[in-house]
Structures are given as structure tokens and as C-alpha cells.
Amino acid sequence: MGKDLIQKSLKDSLFTGIIALALFGPIVGLRTVAKNEVLVVEPKWFIVLLIVAFCAIGRFFINIYSYKKEQRRGEPSSLGKAISNFLDEKGAQIAIAAIAFSIIFPFMPFADRYWMDIAIMMMTYIMLGWGLNIVIGLAGLLDLGYVAFYAVGAYSYALFAIHFGWSFWICLPIAGLFAGMFGILLGFPVLRLRGDYLAIVTLAFGEMIRILLLNWYELTKGPDGLTGIPRPSFFGLPFKRYPDEGVETFHTFFGLEYDPMQRIIFLYYLILVLALITNAFTIKIRRLPVGRAWEALREDEIACKSLGVNPRNTKLTAFAIGAMFGGFAGSFFATRQAFISPESFTFIESAIIVAIVVLGGMGSQTGVVLSTIFLIGLIEVFRDFESYRMVAFGGAMVLIMIFRPRGILAKRKPTITMGKHG
Amino acid sequence: MLNISKVETFYGNIQALRGVDVKVNDGEIVALIGSNGAGKSTLLMTISGVNKAATGEILFDNKSIVNMPPHDIVNLGISQVPEGRRIFARLTVEDNLRLGASVNEKGKNFDQDSKDVYDLFPVLKDRLSQRGGTLSGGEQQMLAIGRAMMARPSMLLLDEPSLGIAPKLVNQIFSSIKNINKEKKVTVFLVEQNAKKALELADRGYVLVNGKISLEGQGKDLLNNPDVQAAYLEGGK
Ligand SMILES: Nc1ncnc2c1ncn2[C@@H]1O[C@H](COP(=O)(O)OP(=O)(O)OP(=O)(O)O)[C@@H](O)[C@H]1O
Ligand SMILES: [Mg+2]
């Protein structure tokens, strides 16, 4: 049996090696360099050989590993299970500790500008992850175009704030409303689609919105983007060193020295509150008929219909509410950056958010936090090695899918058990 | 109460029902038997509005329901327990029950209605926080029936409630069905492979062959009918 396995694995890794060769041979192996003003192809076979060997050997060990795992099937699998059990038992305490940490974070000695920026970015992705979790995790609708709603929120916020001069707290709900309407707009044509077909259409929708923003020059200034988006104020008190005549600012009102960090800290708390609202909303709505209907729809659409759940309305509310939170996050993004352009809303953003939700273990709110810290942290660590970032990102996802195929915190039990009860 | 006439249903261009006529009177238990692929489940799904009839008429309390969306039909009082139970596996037993009540004024009567369900199936009460998918097959069937009862139906459609369940439990489930009919005054339309049990329980029965009703009569008469015996009972369960 063992011999058989090794033979099979060897065969498989040989095959993997051939595929790797076919893929990386032309991509990595043939490099064009300019020599005396002509392009010549310079082969790099050694690197290709290394990559191919790595793939083949890696594949071999994965085979052995998954065979061992097969043997252990039935036994509770180790680490992830331990973590998720731990989170189950101590869930409330951990959540409180995490929130407490987030609240005092800006006053930690190491929390300089760099750390605050990362924290704000992570918090934005956590919020987006929680928002998308409504659509993917709860309602089970694979949406690959979530960035569209992020973009709609950002642009509607920016346009209202620039043209009407309305404050953040007025523009925020309007932006959410617009994004929600776009959610319904997307929802209608895809009502009958499931799984991969749905994924393709949502992906296309995300691109359509981006292309629309790029080309509707009169409204969006196309690739130039929108500048001069008003910065948020602290309930009417702006964060400015040299305010206009007679205008009270945040630091004069509280009798503080002016410090640009004050605005950063305010932004941090703003996104923290928005994210926590998203989370609280999700936790609450799961216990309400709508939320329950989302989850039921994810489990079994036919059963839902036969019980009188209206699948159309259920799906549309999921799209709309998920989109609304995406829109809120977009507003925040716009006010933080003070400049937005379609470049910030490419497919890769959708992909990262989907990865956060899926790798976290769909439906798990804590999983979203963990996978955001992991993925965004990883991207950040590799910031100085620009060209390896995506490799690291992809590699991390492959590793998670090998070792935790259902996500970091997946608690999904098998849907059907057979044989045991007859 | 339920009056089905000349109903034809298609899946793409496969015709599953070829002009079905069935009548169910108030307070009856009516059984529908037939072999695999005869179209039994299709008929129930057509009544519930999940599948649409291409032609024909379905009257419920003299009201045409043939073009209604499923949730309106549930609202009128027809609940279905679908084939294979279709429990929401990752939701708790309580959530499953609450979903059954979703048409009933959004579950306002949950406490009262769920008490009725626990009277029928006491096991469910101890399992409220357990995930549906972790119940045994028999318990899942009870949950499926209980879930359908949460909508306070006046008519219950049951699709093969004995499917994959140990004989002892089958007896218990059939006596619950009888109870639902007699005590709760719910009219029952029952699809079964287990023809003997179904016809013993039912007041009347129909035999569906290839999308058409081939025989109908009193439950006992059908049980003694030599054709039925040869096709559905001999060597059967
Ligand atoms: N979704 C579907 N798409 C295409 N054909 C279908 C579909 N569902 C059922 N059919 C076909 O319709 C016919 C009737 O199927 P149906 O499920 O109603 O049979 P049944 O009497 O319930 O059988 P069983 O006792 O096995 O449950 C069968 O020929 C089946 O192949
Ligand atoms: Mg069937």
C-alpha cells in the first residue's frame, strides 16, 4: 500500500512538473533583454529548473500529507479546530478584549503614523469583509464584484460632498443608499443564477462600474479622479492648523496643540465605529426573519420556496444590505483619501475582499478579522519587495486551501451524514 | 378542498405529468402511490407552485392557485414536506422551525405553534439548539413535518416521509400523520413508496403511472386490487 502510494505520488508529481515546465518555461525562462538596441531572448533555464523542481517536490509532499490526513479522517483535526473551539467557549471575552485593544490602540507608544495607517487600512478591509460576509457567508451568493459598491459609495459621497458641501454625516447615509440601490440593480438580473454563473455576472458588474467611472468624464472626471473631497470634521470642528477667520477647530476647541495625528486618530475611530456597526448589525439580523431567510436560502432554495420564503425579496435584500455597507466603507475611503479615481476600484480589490471572507471560513465574523490581519499584514510585510507581493499573497492562499480547505475558522459540519443512523 | 384537473408539467421538454386529475376532500387522508419517476414529487411541487403547470387547473377551496407564487400558496394554507426532508443543515432546530413560521405573521405565534409541534414530536424540544444536519434521519423527518406545521396549514403535502427510516420510526411517523389529520384537522395528501402503509392509513388512494393517474379508489380496495398488489406490494415493504 505504501509503495503504491509513493508510486502514485511520483507519477503525479512528474505530471505536475510537466505542467510547471509548460507554464514557467515561456513565462520565466525566456526573458527579452535589450542588447545593442535589439531585443534578444535570453534563456534562464536554471531558474525554471528550480521552480519546476519545487513544484514537483511540493506536490509529492502534499500527496503524502493528504494521504496521512485521509487516514486520520474522523479524528478531530488539530489546530484550527482547537482555535475555533477556544473561540466558541471564550468568544465573548475575546471579542471584548479585541475591541478594548482596538480602542486603546492609538495611544500605544508604538502607534505612530505608519501603524495607524495600517490599522485604518485593516479596519476598512474588516468592514468590507463583514459587509461582503452578508452576501457570501449568510446568503451564500458568490459576489466577485463587491468593489463596485465600494466605488459607488466613494463616488456618491465625493460628489455630494464636493457639489453640495454637505457634511460627512449627511453624505454617509446617502452614499449607503446609492450603493444599496446599485445592489438591487445588480440583484435583479442575477436572481435566477447560482454559483459560478452568478460569480461571472457579478465580476462583470464590478468591471462595468469601473469602466463607467472611467468614461463618464463630465461627472467623474474619468481617470483624473475627483480631488478636493472635504475632510471629515469632528461634529463640525475641522482638523486644521490654520483655520479660516473665526472658525473654531478641533484643537482650539479642546485647547490642544495642533497635531496632524489628531485627524488620523479620529479617522481610525470613525472606521472602527463603522466596522463595529456592521458587525453588530450582522449579528442582530441573523436572529431576525430576514437574516434567517438568507441562511436558509444558502442551505436550500427549494425548501425555502416550499416554506413560503420569497427567494426574490430575500436575495435582493441581501444584495442591497451588503452593498450598503460597502457604500459606507467607500464613503470613509473617499473622505480619508480626499482623492479618488477608478484605479482604486479594480478587480483585485474585490478579489482581496472575497479572499478575506472565504479564507476566514465563510460566515465567520471572527474569521474575517483573522484573515484580514493575515492577508493585509502579509501584503504590508512584502511592501518593500513590490514584485514578490502577489507571489506571497497567492502562495498564502494556496497554503490555506491545502491545510484549511474550509477556511481558517470553518465550523461547517458535513451537510449530510449517511450510514450512521440508517 | 383540492381539485386538480388535466395538469401537465414539463422539465424543459421532458413531460413529467400528462394530464393528472386528483381530488382531495376536506378532512381526508389521500395517498398517491407510484413507482420511481412516475411524477409524484413533480405533482406535489406543482401544487406548491415550485414547479409551474404548463396546462390544467388547480383549485384550492375553489380558488385557482395554478399561477400563484409558492409563498402565496403557503399563505393560503398548503404546506409541503418535501422529498428527502430538506432540513436546513447548518441552522439550528429552532431556526428551522422559525423558518416554517415565516409566513405566519412573521412568527408572531411561534410559542404557541411550536408547543403544538413539541406535542407531536417531543424529541424536538430537547434539540432546539442542535444543528439540523446533526439530527438522525428520523428526527429530521419529524423536524421537516414540524416545520411545515408551523405555517398552520389546512392541508399538508407529504413526500415520502418513510424514506430511509427504520420501520419502528416509520410507524411512529405514520401515527403522527394520523394524529395531525384527526386532532389538528389537517387534510393530508401523502406520496409514498411504502404503498401498504400508505393505503392502510389513507381514506382514498391514487396510483400514478408515467405521469397519469391509472387507478383510484378507497384505500382498502386498492390494497386488495390484484394489479396494485402485483406492482407495488408483492415482495414490497
Ligand atoms: N429537475 C428535473 N429536471 C428534469 N427532469 C426531472 C426533474 N425532476 C424530475 N424529473 C423527471 O420527471 C419525472 C418525474 O420525476 P419525479 O421526481 O416527479 O418522480 P417521483 O414519482 O417522485 O419518483 P421517486 O419515487 O423516485 O421520488 C422523472 O422522469 C424525472 O426524471
Ligand atoms: Mg419523488
Side-chain angles (χ1 to χ4, degrees):
Chain A
M1 180 176 58
K3 212 172 163 191
D4 202 36
L5 171 77
I6 290 180
Q7 209 165 30
K8 257 193 201 157
S9 305
L10 279 176
K11 226 188 211 166
D12 191 40
S13 52
L14 184 72
F15 191 62
T16 309
I18 294 172
I19 292 179
L21 185 65
L23 265 178
F24 291 108
I27 297 176
V28 181
L30 303 174
R31 166 171 290 195
T32 49
V33 280
K35 251 187 202 156
N36 308 330
E37 289 167 39
V38 266
L39 281 180
V40 281
V41 177
E42 194 172 84
K44 300 210 149 195
W45 295 121
F46 184 65
I47 295 183
V48 173
L49 196 72
L50 276 184
I51 295 178
V52 170
F54 177 79
C55 290
I57 294 171
R59 179 76 206 177
F60 181 76
F61 282 108
I62 287 171
N63 271 330
I64 304 275
Y65 168 82
S66 51
Y67 171 75
K68 286 223 177 98
K69 208 166 125 195
E70 196 106 319
Q71 279 187 323
R72 277 187 285 136
R73 185 179 278 173
E75 284 172 44
S77 82
S78 50
L79 187 66
K81 186 128 187 183
I83 296 175
S84 68
N85 279 346
F86 179 68
L87 285 173
D88 261 359
E89 283 164 30
K90 305 260 153 92
Q93 285 106 306
I94 294 172
I96 290 170
I99 292 172
F101 176 76
S102 319
I103 291 173
I104 57 170
F105 179 78
F107 303 105
M108 299 292 220
F110 59 86
D112 55 8
R113 175 74 197 250
Y114 172 74
W115 279 100
M116 287 304 290
D117 278 344
I118 291 182
I120 289 175
M121 180 161 84
M122 280 191 180
M123 214 53 99
T124 314
Y125 278 105
I126 288 173
M127 174 167 181
L128 286 167
W130 278 339
L132 185 59
N133 210 7
I134 293 176
V135 185
I136 294 187
L138 294 190
L141 303 162
L142 184 52
D143 182 352
L144 296 185
Y146 193 61
V147 76
F149 309 119
Y150 190 42
V152 168
Y155 270 87
S156 20
Y157 173 84
L159 290 170
F160 279 102
I162 292 172
H163 293 302
F164 299 105
W166 292 343
S167 82
F168 180 78
W169 298 107
I170 297 175
C171 294
L172 180 79
I174 295 178
L177 200 73
F178 264 82
M181 278 177 353
F182 272 78
I184 295 176
L185 201 71
L186 165 67
F188 262 110
V190 301
L191 277 176
R192 285 163 181 280
L193 303 181
R194 310 220 93 221
D196 27 12
Y197 295 101
L198 175 69
I200 292 169
V201 177
T202 53
L203 192 153
F205 182 79
E207 281 302 282
M208 274 161 57
I209 296 291
R210 191 176 64 83
I211 290 169
L212 191 78
L213 293 174
L214 212 48
N215 289 295
W216 192 354
Y217 195 85
E218 297 77 36
L219 188 72
T220 65
K221 296 266 163 46
D224 304 343
L226 294 171
T227 47
I229 302 166
R231 299 286 197 174
S233 59
F234 185 83
F235 301 100
L237 301 170
F239 294 92
K240 272 187 185 162
R241 189 193 295 260
Y242 306 112
D244 301 337
E245 199 63 35
V247 174
E248 184 130 53
T249 64
F250 179 79
H251 67 280
T252 55
F253 185 83
F254 288 98
L256 300 168
E257 277 291 296
Y258 174 77
D259 183 345
M261 279 300 278
Q262 286 160 359
R263 188 172 58 83
I264 305 292
I265 292 174
F266 173 69
L267 282 172
Y268 172 82
Y269 281 122
L270 187 61
I271 187 66
L272 179 63
V273 167
L274 287 175
L276 288 179
I277 289 174
T278 313
N279 187 27
F281 178 89
T282 307
I283 291 172
K284 175 82 189 150
I285 203 164
R286 280 181 96 149
R287 310 225 167 87
L288 297 180
V290 209
R292 214 178 288 123
W294 288 341
E295 292 198 73
L297 203 67
R298 174 193 71 200
E299 302 288 300
D300 192 330
E301 185 163 345
I302 290 181
C304 276
K305 281 189 184 169
S306 77
L307 291 175
V309 172
N310 182 335
R312 187 191 59 202
N313 296 357
T314 309
K315 280 185 192 175
L316 286 181
T317 46
F319 273 122
I321 291 178
M324 182 183 76
F325 284 113
F328 289 156
S331 309
F332 173 80
F333 179 76
T335 192
R336 172 173 112 101
Q337 299 284 326
F339 164 75
I340 51 171
S341 77
E343 247 170 69
S344 308
F345 307 104
T346 50
F347 170 68
I348 189 70
E349 293 296 319
S350 288
I352 291 175
I353 307 165
V354 170
I356 285 172
V357 172
V358 174
L359 298 187
M362 289 188 248
S364 163
Q365 296 290 91
T366 323
V368 166
V369 178
L370 291 183
S371 60
T372 306
I373 293 173
F374 181 68
L375 287 181
I376 304 299
L378 198 74
I379 292 179
E380 213 34 59
V381 168
F382 278 83
R383 179 169 290 279
D384 298 335
F385 317 94
E386 188 66 52
S387 31
Y388 297 101
R389 238 160 110 181
M390 275 330 196
V391 176
F393 191 68
M397 283 203 256
V398 171
L399 286 180
I400 294 183
M401 282 299 124
I402 291 172
F403 293 103
R404 303 283 306 149
R406 290 169 176 163
I408 298 175
L409 279 190
K411 279 189 291 190
R412 279 204 199 183
K413 307 223 162 92
T415 318
I416 299 170
T417 47
M418 284 177 80
K420 214 170 164 189
H421 303 284
Chain B
M1 177 171 225
L2 185 73
N3 206 334
I4 303 168
S5 52
K6 301 201 186 68
V7 160
E8 302 192 3
T9 304
F10 292 79
Y11 293 104
N13 46 24
I14 302 168
Q15 186 166 11
L17 299 181
R18 306 165 183 273
V20 173
D21 299 281
V22 166
K23 230 180 119 158
V24 182
N25 299 315
D26 223 335
E28 271 185 323
I29 298 181
V30 173
L32 177 72
I33 59 173
S35 51
N36 291 115
K40 305 180 297 296
S41 302
T42 306
L43 180 59
L44 290 199
M45 286 296 181
T46 307
I47 299 171
S48 299
V50 176
N51 292 339
K52 290 287 164 219
T55 59
E57 181 61 283
I58 303 175
L59 298 176
F60 180 65
D61 290 336
N62 297 321
K63 198 170 165 190
S64 172
I65 58 168
V66 78
N67 287 320
M68 275 191 189
H71 48 271
D72 286 343
I73 294 174
V74 178
N75 246 329
L76 282 180
I78 302 183
S79 280
Q80 188 189 173
V81 182
E83 183 172 9
R85 313 184 259 276
R86 291 186 176 270
I87 291 299
F88 301 117
R90 278 188 280 160
L91 303 190
T92 61
V93 169
E94 179 177 342
D95 280 341
N96 270 277
L97 290 176
R98 283 188 186 275
L99 276 154
S102 48
V103 291
N104 205 354
E105 298 216 273
K106 304 279 173 219
K108 260 186 207 145
N109 305 313
F110 181 77
D111 291 338
Q112 177 58 44
D113 293 345
S114 58
K115 222 183 124 273
D116 289 354
V117 170
Y118 307 147
D119 287 345
L120 275 170
F121 305 113
V123 269
L124 295 181
K125 194 172 181 176
D126 311 324
R127 304 297 175 91
L128 282 181
S129 56
Q130 191 175 330
R131 283 174 195 247
T134 62
L135 294 178
S136 78
E139 290 162 347
Q140 288 190 13
Q141 187 63 56
M142 296 178 196
L143 177 57
I145 297 175
R147 186 177 66 176
M149 288 300 291
M150 292 298 291
R152 295 197 175 181
S154 50
M155 175 163 202
L156 193 62
L157 312 174
L158 289 152
D159 199 342
E160 302 200 28
S162 71
L163 191 75
I165 291 175
K168 207 176 132 211
L169 262 176
V170 171
N171 287 338
Q172 193 190 332
I173 283 174
F174 269 72
S175 72
S176 313
I177 295 171
K178 192 167 178 178
N179 190 334
I180 287 171
N181 176 254
K182 295 281 167 321
E183 310 286 322
K184 307 239 183 297
K185 307 277 177 256
V186 176
T187 308
V188 172
F189 187 42
L190 169 71
V191 163
E192 258 303 337
Q193 290 272 345
N194 192 336
K196 184 162 181 290
K197 279 231 131 46
L199 291 174
E200 277 170 2
L201 178 74
D203 302 306
R204 291 188 306 115
Y206 289 86
V207 180
L208 189 68
V209 178
N210 248 328
K212 262 191 132 121
I213 299 293
S214 71
L215 264 177
E216 62 172 289
Q218 300 294 313
K220 297 203 180 53
D221 296 345
L222 286 179
L223 261 180
N224 298 325
N225 181 311
D227 291 343
V228 172
Q229 284 186 340
Y232 305 107
L233 297 172
E234 222 81 314
K237 305 164 196 180

